[in-house]
Amino acid sequence: MEHLEIERKFLVVSEAYKKDATSETRIVQGFLNTAPERTVRVRIKGNKGYLTIKGKGNESGTTRFEWEKEISFKDATNLIDLCEPGILEKIRFEVPAGEHLFEIDEFLGENEGLVVAEVELQNEDERFDKPDWLGDEVTGQIKYYNSQLTKKPFINW
Amino acid sequence: MEHLEIERKFLVVSEAYKKDATSETRIVQGFLNTAPERTVRVRIKGNKGYLTIKGKGNESGTTRFEWEKEISFKDATNLIDLCEPGILEKIRFEVPAGEHLFEIDEFLGENEGLVVAEVELQNEDERFDKPDWLGDEVTGQIKYYNSQLTKKPFINW
């Protein structure tokens, strides 16, 4: 499945989102390529595996080409072994707010302390509710790309 | 589908293989990563698409981890657009010889003049017939990896 992914990314300034979370899933992921022009990600989410390929964002960083396929847990485990050094671990919370669903990633390991929220939109100008726990926008800032967090983790910022 | 790929690669010294070919298919392929440790290949073969991920070879170069999935022609076309510069084109001939099937790639474009044959084996010591058109072995020589031919094409050797 392939589409243009339109999303905006924000820092998270409090843990208040946790009381509204409808799910909490552990994610382990690595990259077969971290170049922003052709990111290749292997992800284990709960007991499922995914392979995801993304292109470079547009100028505002809102829109990226994204292709994703579910793969077996076993394949994902084997492919993570081939990934570049720097496997990411995080806990993902899904938090509905108004008409939208926020995905909040609480990073672990060398990125502990970093918490970001993403909301997927239908078009670039779509409005959405901003919960109190939502902080500054960081959409399109490459250092917040997960592919970059493997190389320059939050602990070194 | 994922397996250890055991194969040997040879130069081809004459066009005699063509009279025994049972199929002839055009292949267009690009790479989302050309690092030998984690090659990510997008291939269009005839009207089908494939995504293939390979690990680094063992010391003799005979065995590599390989994972491959068929994807749609449309997805493959879109993913080739994200690939590193240097899209490869070649004609693949399938040629049975004895108990084995040789795949012979006749490269086009900047690799024109290069013709290589590969045979897949069940184990590293397996014996196989060597047809007259088979030349020197180049198994494990990284410059013959397709991923490297995109960067250092045969025309520049």
Side-chain angles (χ1 to χ4, degrees):
Chain A
M1 198 184 63
E2 148 248 323
H3 71 295
L4 285 176
E5 177 190 57
I6 305 175
E7 63 184 19
R8 293 175 66 181
K9 189 184 285 192
F10 298 84
L11 297 179
V12 169
V13 293
S14 87
E15 294 205 336
Y17 66 87
K18 287 193 180 174
K19 68 177 188 336
D20 296 322
T22 55
S23 77
E24 179 180 339
T25 318
R26 182 166 169 271
I27 290 176
V28 177
Q29 64 187 31
F31 290 89
L32 290 163
N33 196 345
T34 51
E37 298 82 5
R38 54 188 73 88
T39 302
V40 182
R41 185 183 74 200
V42 183
R43 173 180 277 180
I44 294 170
K45 186 179 177 186
N47 59 3
K48 294 188 167 188
Y50 299 90
L51 186 65
T52 308
I53 298 170
K54 298 189 189 191
K56 195 164 186 170
N58 65 346
E59 211 167 316
S60 69
T62 322
T63 305
R64 282 180 92 179
F65 171 88
E66 176 176 317
W67 177 91
E68 184 164 82
K69 246 204 162 52
E70 188 173 338
I71 61 176
S72 74
F73 180 85
K74 180 166 172 285
D75 283 1
T77 305
N78 283 325
L79 290 175
I80 277 188
D81 286 344
L82 295 190
C83 283
E84 296 180 6
I87 301 302
L88 281 188
E89 281 195 53
K90 58 189 183 182
I91 308 293
R92 169 160 296 179
F93 298 87
E94 291 190 334
V95 181
E99 303 288 302
H100 292 88
L101 184 72
F102 283 86
E103 291 180 333
I104 292 153
D105 286 345
E106 195 182 279
F107 287 87
L108 304 175
E110 292 196 311
N111 289 294
E112 193 163 340
L114 180 62
V115 186
V116 301
E118 287 186 338
V119 59
E120 187 156 359
L121 304 174
Q122 298 305 308
N123 63 70
E124 298 214 9
D125 306 319
E126 187 177 345
R127 298 176 68 87
F128 54 91
D129 289 351
K130 293 191 179 162
D132 289 341
W133 42 261
L134 211 62
D136 289 343
E137 181 160 9
V138 295
T139 304
Q141 291 188 34
I142 287 185
K143 72 174 178 173
Y144 289 99
Y145 281 20
N146 280 228
S147 55
Q148 303 308 302
L149 293 175
T150 60
K151 293 183 290 189
K152 284 196 188 167
F154 186 63
I155 202 175
N156 295 335
W157 288 16
Chain B
M1 196 184 63
E2 148 249 324
H3 70 295
L4 285 177
E5 178 190 55
I6 305 175
E7 64 185 17
R8 293 175 67 180
K9 189 183 285 191
F10 297 84
L11 297 178
V12 169
V13 293
S14 87
E15 294 204 337
Y17 65 88
K18 287 192 181 175
K19 67 176 190 336
D20 297 323
T22 53
S23 77
E24 178 178 340
T25 318
R26 182 166 168 272
I27 291 176
V28 177
Q29 64 186 31
F31 289 90
L32 292 162
N33 197 346
T34 52
E37 297 81 6
R38 55 187 74 86
T39 303
V40 182
R41 184 183 74 200
V42 183
R43 173 179 277 181
I44 294 171
K45 186 179 176 186
N47 59 3
K48 294 189 166 187
Y50 299 91
L51 186 66
T52 308
I53 299 169
K54 297 189 190 191
K56 195 165 186 168
N58 64 346
E59 211 167 317
S60 68
T62 322
T63 306
R64 282 179 91 179
F65 172 88
E66 176 176 318
W67 177 92
E68 183 164 83
K69 243 199 163 55
E70 189 174 337
I71 62 177
S72 74
F73 180 85
K74 181 167 173 286
D75 282 2
T77 305
N78 283 325
L79 291 175
I80 276 189
D81 285 345
L82 295 189
C83 282
E84 296 180 7
I87 301 302
L88 281 189
E89 281 194 54
K90 57 188 184 183
I91 308 292
R92 168 160 297 178
F93 298 87
E94 290 191 334
V95 182
E99 304 287 302
H100 292 88
L101 184 72
F102 283 86
E103 292 179 332
I104 292 154
D105 286 346
E106 195 181 280
F107 288 87
L108 304 174
E110 292 194 314
N111 289 294
E112 194 164 339
L114 181 62
V115 186
V116 300
E118 286 185 339
V119 60
E120 187 156 359
L121 305 175
Q122 298 306 308
N123 64 70
E124 299 214 8
D125 305 319
E126 187 176 346
R127 296 176 69 87
F128 56 92
D129 289 349
K130 294 190 178 163
D132 288 341
W133 41 262
L134 211 62
D136 288 342
E137 179 158 11
V138 296
T139 304
Q141 291 190 32
I142 287 184
K143 72 174 179 174
Y144 289 99
Y145 281 21
N146 281 228
S147 55
Q148 303 307 302
L149 293 175
T150 61
K151 293 183 289 188
K152 284 196 188 165
F154 187 61
I155 202 175
N156 296 333
W157 288 16

